[in-house]
Amino acid sequence: MEWRLLTALAVLIIGNGYWALRYYQATRQSSRNEQQRVAEMESLQDHWLQFSTVAIILIMLLAPLARQAMLSGG
């Protein structure tokens, strides 16, 4: 069971890195006008927040199960 918790943590870290990279790339785009760039950045922020929320909820749900599995030795 602890492998599920570690997998969820890895997904959280990798996913946040992915969204941070996409957000950084959106801030550096000079080919679009300011209004389009701001709209894209706001959209990326929304998706990033949704991803992080779901990942944290999964970790919160898996953590007690992983703890129980480690305490029982299974």
Side-chain angles (χ1 to χ4, degrees), residues 57-70:
I57 289 171
L58 286 174
I59 290 170
M60 289 173 56
L61 292 173
L62 290 175
L65 298 173
R67 183 176 183 276
Q68 186 64 31
M70 291 189 316

Side-chain angles (χ1 to χ4, degrees):
M1 181 62 73
E2 60 274 355
W3 65 270
R4 291 182 186 170
L5 181 62
L6 292 175
T7 302
L9 285 171
V11 167
L12 176 66
I13 292 168
I14 292 168
N16 275 313
Y18 168 76
W19 287 110
L21 178 64
R22 294 231 5 226
Y23 186 80
Y24 177 75
Q25 289 173 345
T27 61
R28 296 292 179 195
Q29 287 181 350
S30 60
S31 62
R32 296 182 178 185
N33 68 22
E34 187 66 24
Q35 188 176 15
Q36 288 176 330
R37 194 173 61 149
V38 169
E40 183 179 356
M41 288 170 50
E42 288 176 357
S43 175
L44 285 171
Q45 287 174 348
D46 290 343
H47 286 94
W48 193 353
L49 180 63
Q50 291 170 5
F51 166 80
S52 296
T53 302
V54 169
I56 289 170
I57 289 171
L58 286 174
I59 290 170
M60 289 173 56
L61 292 173
L62 290 175
L65 298 173
R67 183 176 183 276
Q68 186 64 31
M70 291 189 316
L71 289 176
S72 67

